[in-house]
Amino acid sequence: MESGLKHLSNALATPNQLSNSSSSIDGVPPELETSIRCAGAQLTQAAGVLLGLSQDIIAQAIVLFTRFWLGADGGSLRIYAAKDVSASALYLAAKLSFQPTSPRSVINVYTFLLSPDASPLWFVNPRGAPDEPPAPETYILTEGGYQSARSTLLRIESVILRALGFDTHVALPHAIALTYLQTLGATKPSVSRRVIQHLNTALLSPQLLYVTHQPNALAVAAIYLAAREQGVKLVDTEWWEVFDVDREELGFLVVGMQSTEGFMRAEKGRWENKTIPLVVDTVEAEIEKGRMLGEGE
């Protein structure tokens, strides 16, 4: 029973880990760190989709990516490129699953998504995806470039494993939520779809909901929101308590999930016509720019 419960739960971030990341200790402004972390999660999602990976694997990779930056012992954005950590986290999550993918496939997809000319991602290519197919040389690596990228992919995979203490277990709320819906008798497909949408959006939450709350609580909050949005009445009692979630935690998670879409819109506005730095050199340049603006230069 105990091992079964452990399988459905995660090791959560401590308040100290959340307030003292290695990046913040190294002088990366909190807003910049949040933007880069969110862009890295979106990059992981897009790469996973292009690789044909299941959403479970992609979500696990995003959680591993997020955990890597936590605490003083985690990775610093002034040492490790977010793009490399994203690629290695996705490669690692796929390798641990029933759907492994090759280093070459991962590298090819990331080269395309990080191309300033070919990428469809707004934070990499602010001009938007090109109307005409881009020239192959803008997103295809030479053999030498591939070998270098492969070496980096495998090296950062080892760095992630060491930073996480080789604990790669990630319990997700998606299947739990669907089980809860059945228990509550809420079988309307539109509710199930909205629940999954809320859970996937929460992967991008600036409050890092997936590393601060257990899957059962995330599942309950997504169900509460979806049922309210779809006008579906659930049981009259405080049903969330049956699933070991109190009103205070539910309220926090509902607000957090609701705010994520607004946060994403604000991020797009903040970085309009600019790229979000995903490598160490551009992070340094952004920090320096912020310092100069702060000094009024």
Side-chain angles (χ1 to χ4, degrees):
M1 177 68 173
E2 209 169 288
S3 68
L5 289 174
K6 185 179 179 185
H7 182 68
L8 295 174
S9 63
N10 292 313
L12 299 182
T14 65
N16 186 55
Q17 284 178 315
L18 293 170
S19 57
N20 294 291
S21 70
S22 183
S23 297
S24 65
I25 293 168
D26 281 351
V28 179
E31 275 195 356
L32 179 59
E33 184 178 358
T34 297
S35 291
I36 296 171
R37 236 178 5 217
C38 181
Q42 292 175 78
L43 174 62
T44 309
Q45 176 70 47
V49 170
L50 288 182
L51 285 164
L53 299 175
S54 72
Q55 184 58 34
D56 275 5
I57 295 171
I58 297 170
Q60 288 166 5
I62 292 173
V63 174
L64 294 177
F65 172 83
T66 304
R67 287 178 183 169
F68 175 74
W69 308 105
L70 294 174
D73 296 327
S76 168
L77 290 163
R78 295 187 94 155
I79 298 173
Y80 301 105
K83 71 174 183 66
D84 293 337
V85 177
S86 167
S88 294
L90 189 60
Y91 174 69
L92 175 60
K95 186 163 75 170
L96 295 170
S97 77
F98 59 89
Q99 205 179 357
T101 188
S102 68
R104 189 176 289 275
S105 295
V106 173
I107 289 163
N108 285 343
V109 162
Y110 272 82
T111 303
F112 169 72
L113 287 174
L114 292 164
S115 164
D117 297 309
S119 179
L121 299 176
W122 64 269
F123 51 87
V124 174
N125 178 10
R127 297 185 303 276
D131 295 328
E132 298 294 325
E137 58 267 21
T138 64
Y139 62 90
I140 292 179
L141 284 176
T142 63
E143 187 57 27
Y146 163 72
Q147 292 299 335
S148 174
R150 183 179 184 279
S151 174
T152 298
L153 180 78
L154 300 181
R155 178 174 63 84
I156 299 299
E157 179 193 16
S158 298
V159 170
I160 292 172
L161 286 169
R162 287 198 302 274
L164 300 183
F166 292 86
D167 180 5
T168 57
H169 169 70
V170 178
L172 296 173
H174 299 65
I176 296 172
L178 296 179
T179 301
Y180 287 179
L181 281 171
Q182 287 182 327
T183 304
L184 292 164
T187 55
K188 197 174 175 183
S190 61
V191 176
S192 301
R193 281 196 299 273
R194 193 63 183 133
V195 165
I196 297 302
Q197 287 169 356
H198 279 304
L199 292 175
N200 288 338
T201 301
L203 287 162
L204 307 176
S205 161
Q207 296 98 338
L208 308 182
L209 298 180
Y210 271 74
V211 298
T212 56
H213 294 269
Q214 294 293 1
N216 68 301
L218 294 168
V220 164
I223 290 169
Y224 181 92
L225 264 177
R228 194 170 69 182
E229 291 167 353
Q230 297 296 316
V232 172
K233 186 171 174 56
L234 300 174
V235 292
D236 288 329
T237 58
E238 295 190 335
W239 57 268
W240 48 86
E241 292 184 352
V242 174
F243 302 119
D244 201 26
V245 180
D246 62 36
R247 183 182 288 276
E248 185 180 355
E249 184 176 22
L250 174 60
F252 178 85
L253 284 169
V254 165
V255 170
M257 287 184 178
Q258 284 181 313
S259 68
T260 301
E261 288 184 16
F263 163 74
M264 293 300 300
R265 285 194 297 272
E267 281 293 285
K268 284 190 174 183
R270 182 182 167 212
W271 292 95
E272 188 175 11
N273 300 321
K274 293 187 291 184
T275 58
I276 295 181
L278 296 172
V279 298
V280 174
D281 287 350
T282 54
V283 170
E284 293 290 350
E286 192 66 31
I287 292 171
E288 179 62 17
K289 187 166 74 174
R291 186 190 67 77
M292 292 175 67
L293 287 172
E295 293 177 358
E297 293 181 19

